[in-house]
Every structure is written in structure tokens, then in C-alpha cells.
Amino acid sequence: MKRKFFQFLILIPVLYACGQENTSKSVIIKNDVLISNTINNVGLQDSAVITLEKYIDTKYQYFAVNNQRLTIENSLPKGGLTYTDSSNTKYVYAIFWTRIKNETTNPFELSLDVSSEFFELPSSPNNYFKIVFPLEKMTVDKAPLFNYGIADIAATLGGNLYNYGSLHSTIPPNETALFYVITLFKKGVNGTMRAGLSLNNGKLYYRVNDKQIPSGQYNLKDLKLKN
């Protein structure tokens, strides 16, 4: 089943009881930036902007004809805690997200298909992991939160609110997709933990530390990585 991702413009006014200062709050999400404003009768008093930049680990820019561009950004990890499944098997999990910005004139269609089997991490012998895609939608306002907003990992993984290794999406021109990725390890990883999506010659690849995994395909074959 294909899932589409869209940009949102949300305006939520908050009104206060009579007799208090004429103050309102609004939350706006536009172009993947969340802006929280407090406004009173003097004007704009406070503005807090949340972007994803501080959480990004890798960024790849791919260019097509006429300088059209597709950008893939992969996050730093959160998590590192344990999850025990219904068969009493314990895992160490890490949560990532990927953001894809389609600035071309064509829809970008990707089909992520990662084996549900365990992969061995070359730099950590006898340590095996698998990749799952939570069905919960990642949004910009969740970036500062614990586990990027997945507060109940047991409910997500234990309640079948995920696909083991399959995610299909069509991103229209000038729109953005943002989705979670969870890695489940049989034991903890010593040192730095990194992961991320990239593409090359029509093929998708997902990397977990030094393990590069063929992960499906996409439709725009003329995209070239910026040097």
C-alpha cells in the first residue's frame, strides 16, 4: 500500500477568559518548520522556531536536468534502550528518521523493501539487527521529544504498528516526506551508531554503520549526487 506525505499548515488559536490580557498563541507548521508565537495587544512578544537541522547526521543532494534537486536528510539516533517482544526476546533499539525533499517537476516514487531477516554488523561480530518502519507519522514538532515522539516503543512494535522492511511512497513535486526508521539489535553496539538512506542509479540503499543494505528502487533515474 502506498502512503503519501504532505506538508501541513496548522493554525491553532488559544483564547483566554474575559478580564485577562488579550493574548493568543498559535502554532504554525509550514515547509517543515514549526513556529510557536505568543501575541498580545502590543504585538509579537515571543517566537520559538523548531527546525530539523540540529538533528541531521547526513545530507545528500541529487540533481537532475535544469538544476532540479532532490534532497535526502538522515537523522542522528535516539533511543539506546531495550525492548522485549511477546516471545521474551530482548532488543536494543535506535530510532532514526529520514526526510526527502522533492524539488523536481516530477513525482518521486520510492519502494523501500528491506529483508525482514537479521543482518550482521561487520564492525560488531555476532551482533545482528533488523529494520522496521513504524506506521506512526513523523512530524517536525516531534524532533525535540523523547525517541523523536515515539513515547511507547512497546505499543508501536508490540501492536503491529509497523512494517518490517517495506515502505512505499509517492512524493509530489515541491513536497516533502518524513518517516521513521527503527533498528532492533540483539545486543548493544559499542561506539557510534549511525544510519541513513541514499540512492544510486535507480537503487535505494540503507546503511547502518558499516553495513550497506540494498533496499529497493525509485523512479527518477537521471538524478546525480552532488560532489
Side-chain angles (χ1 to χ4, degrees):
M1 179 180 66
K2 293 186 177 180
R3 291 188 285 163
K4 294 187 178 181
F5 299 80
F6 303 96
Q7 293 174 321
F8 293 91
L9 175 60
I10 304 174
L11 182 62
I12 308 174
V14 180
L15 301 179
Y16 291 82
C18 292
Q20 295 186 357
E21 184 180 19
N22 182 18
T23 305
S24 65
K25 289 186 177 181
S26 64
V27 175
I28 301 173
I29 302 175
K30 185 177 183 182
N31 298 327
D32 291 321
V33 177
L34 181 142
I35 306 172
S36 177
N37 294 328
T38 300
I39 305 172
N40 63 20
N41 54 8
V42 178
L44 182 64
Q45 296 298 307
D46 179 66
S47 179
V49 178
I50 299 175
T51 71
L52 296 181
E53 300 305 317
K54 64 183 291 186
Y55 305 100
I56 293 173
D57 177 46
T58 56
K59 181 176 182 177
Y60 303 106
Q61 289 187 319
Y62 302 90
F63 286 86
V65 296
N66 300 324
N67 212 36
Q68 296 177 40
R69 180 172 59 186
L70 184 128
T71 303
I72 297 178
E73 297 167 326
N74 300 296
S75 76
L76 294 162
K78 286 191 178 185
L81 304 176
T82 59
Y83 158 71
T84 303
D85 68 11
S86 58
S87 63
N88 209 34
T89 302
K90 184 176 290 186
Y91 300 97
V92 178
Y93 70 85
I95 299 174
F96 301 86
W97 50 259
T98 291
R99 175 168 65 170
I100 303 176
K101 299 178 182 179
N102 181 12
E103 298 175 83
T104 74
T105 56
N106 298 298
F108 180 71
E109 300 176 5
L110 72 156
S111 295
L112 275 165
D113 290 294
V114 182
S115 171
S116 61
E117 301 299 319
F118 282 93
F119 299 94
E120 184 176 16
L121 195 63
S123 58
S124 183
N126 299 316
N127 194 0
Y128 295 84
F129 70 93
K130 65 172 56 181
I131 294 171
V132 301
F133 297 103
L135 299 181
E136 183 176 348
K137 180 175 174 57
M138 169 65 186
T139 55
V140 177
D141 56 305
K142 295 180 180 179
L145 302 179
F146 175 74
N147 282 348
Y148 289 126
I150 302 180
D152 192 341
I153 195 75
T156 297
L157 297 178
N160 294 321
L161 299 177
Y162 64 91
N163 292 318
Y164 259 116
S166 179
L167 187 150
H168 307 284
S169 180
T170 299
I171 308 170
N174 299 312
E175 293 198 15
T176 299
L178 188 61
F179 57 88
Y180 289 111
V181 183
I182 298 179
T183 57
L184 293 174
F185 280 84
K186 290 192 172 182
K187 60 182 181 180
V189 176
N190 292 325
T192 303
M193 182 67 189
R194 295 291 185 268
L197 182 72
S198 62
L199 54 84
N200 186 31
N201 293 326
K203 303 294 184 182
L204 295 166
Y205 296 89
Y206 199 82
R207 177 186 57 84
V208 177
N209 278 10
D210 55 341
K211 180 65 175 180
Q212 186 94 323
I213 305 168
S215 304
Q217 58 190 5
Y218 59 95
N219 65 321
L220 301 181
K221 302 298 192 296
D222 61 340
L223 294 171
K224 302 298 181 183
L225 180 65
K226 180 181 179 181
N227 295 325

